[in-house]
């Protein structure tokens, strides 16, 4: 996780992955070029940037002073796909990786140490990529939770099957204090943490589809004030528009990473 070492921490309450286990706790973009990525998202989402303690290839994005996302310009160096990835909080990265592998998932990276914690990049048994994080969360994490992303959505082959996989890996619906709650609403699986909707899972993706937009994947949604303005800015700065409506649009950045902008009033 890209932590912001330059911010004062005296008044920030540090939250651990142990206390919000199973919930989405961060989103990170794997890109090729730090400067190009900063320029695009500054224009489209109005983000500002601060260095992260992991090195020159890493940055933290801020919206209205609140940390909202991290970027890691390591796609070329580590031969990784350019993509947005959600991270889920876990008490033990090693245990979560073992659980995922036992249930047909794969581990692409890690677990590896990134002070102040440990991370791994995984894929579920349908190929959707996600991350896990063990340790302290970003400072002011509770503000991040209320800022962006609005939520994350898994487009997958079978929502019920996916919910079982993630539930067993991330301890959803276990009844333990702090565990995420899972409900089935309108044909979707809805994940709640502390009463807030934090993720949705829907069926219909095609496992062998040549188009990556309809293969199983996690989609990150960012809350914005003006969807139309984001669409215009994306097109002007080398991005593309996959779908758009009055309250939501699916975009690609100039490097090819896919994300969604959603009206704040729709949260």
């Amino acid at each position: 996780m890209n932590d912001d070492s330059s911010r004062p921490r005296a008044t920030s309450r540090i939250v651990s992955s142990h206390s919000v286990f199973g919930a989405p706790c961060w989103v990170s973009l794997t890109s090729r070029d730090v400067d190009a990525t900063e320029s695009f998202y500054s224009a489209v989402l109005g983000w500002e940037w601060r260095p992260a303690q992991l090195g020159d290839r890493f940055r933290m994005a801020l919206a209205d002073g609140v940390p909202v996302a991290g970027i890691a310009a390591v796609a070329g160096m580590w031969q990784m796909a350019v993509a947005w990835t959600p991270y889920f909080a876990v008490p033990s990265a090693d245990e979560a990786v073992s659980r995922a592998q036992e249930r047909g998932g794969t581990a692409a990276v890690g677990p590896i140490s990134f002070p102040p914690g440990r991370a791994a990049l995984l894929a579920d048994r349908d190929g959707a990529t996600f991350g896990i994080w063990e340790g302290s969360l970003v400072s002011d994490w509770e503000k991040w939770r209320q800022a962006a992303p609005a939520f994350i959505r898994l487009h997958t082959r079978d929502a019920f099957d996916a919910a079982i996989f993630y539930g067993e890996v991330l301890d959803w619906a276990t009844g333990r204090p702090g565990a995420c709650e899972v409900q089935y609403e309108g044909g979707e699986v809805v994940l709640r943490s502390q009463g807030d909707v934090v993720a949705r899972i829907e069926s219909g993706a095609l496992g062998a589809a040549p188009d990556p937009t309809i293969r199983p994947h996690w989609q990150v949604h960012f809350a914005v004030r003006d969807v139309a303005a984001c669409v215009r800015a994306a097109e002007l700065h080398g991005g593309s528009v996959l779908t758009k409506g009055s309250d939501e649009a699916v975009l690609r950045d100039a490097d090819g990473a896919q994300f969604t902008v959603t009206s704040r009033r729709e949260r």
Side-chain angles (χ1 to χ4, degrees):
M1 180 177 295
N2 295 349
D3 195 18
D4 178 17
S5 59
S6 64
R7 303 185 65 198
R9 298 174 181 268
T11 59
S12 299
R13 188 172 79 87
I14 302 301
V15 179
S16 166
S17 63
H18 291 74
S19 62
V20 292
F21 64 91
C25 65
W26 192 240
V27 292
S28 183
L29 172 63
T30 306
S31 74
R32 296 187 180 92
D33 185 285
V34 168
D35 294 334
T37 300
E38 285 188 3
S39 177
F40 178 87
Y41 286 96
S42 293
V44 176
L45 298 178
W47 287 350
E48 299 177 342
W49 302 91
R50 288 187 177 176
Q53 66 183 22
L54 299 178
D56 293 340
R57 293 179 179 270
F58 298 84
R59 295 289 191 278
M60 176 174 287
L62 306 176
D64 299 324
V66 178
V68 292
I71 62 171
V74 296
M77 181 175 65
W78 291 356
Q79 297 183 332
M80 297 173 65
V82 173
W84 279 101
T85 302
Y87 281 75
F88 293 85
V90 296
S92 169
D94 292 289
E95 185 174 335
V97 169
S98 295
R99 289 180 180 180
Q101 291 174 322
E102 289 168 358
R103 289 158 179 81
T106 57
V109 178
I112 53 179
S113 295
F114 285 113
R118 304 183 74 223
L121 189 64
L122 309 173
D124 65 24
R125 50 191 170 215
D126 282 322
T129 301
F130 67 103
I132 55 171
W133 175 260
E134 171 197 349
S136 299
L137 306 186
V138 63
S139 57
D140 288 336
W141 177 80
E142 288 166 323
K143 291 183 180 179
W144 172 86
R145 184 189 183 102
Q146 297 301 319
F151 56 90
I152 57 175
R153 185 187 297 272
L154 175 62
H155 301 269
T156 191
R157 177 186 54 81
D158 184 320
F160 182 79
D161 182 71
I164 292 174
F165 173 86
Y166 285 95
E168 292 177 344
V169 172
L170 300 173
D171 277 334
W172 292 350
T174 60
R176 292 173 53 192
C180 293
E181 300 174 355
V182 176
Q183 294 179 322
Y184 299 91
E185 302 174 5
E188 289 186 326
V189 175
V190 179
L191 181 72
R192 286 182 169 83
S193 175
Q194 300 176 5
D196 296 325
V197 175
V198 293
R200 296 178 184 270
I201 302 176
E202 67 177 20
S203 300
L206 304 176
D211 183 349
T213 64
I214 59 176
R215 291 202 298 263
H217 68 282
W218 280 98
Q219 186 81 355
V220 178
H221 294 238
F222 293 106
V224 299
R225 294 184 178 89
D226 190 334
V227 170
C230 292
V231 169
R232 292 192 297 269
E235 293 176 317
L236 285 172
H237 291 82
S240 57
V241 181
L242 300 181
T243 64
K244 63 179 177 180
S246 59
D247 295 317
E248 188 169 280
V250 181
L251 308 176
R252 275 203 185 108
D253 67 20
D255 214 10
Q258 181 176 311
F259 64 102
T260 297
V261 290
T262 302
S263 174
R264 285 191 182 277
R265 64 178 177 273
E266 295 299 312
R267 292 186 66 187

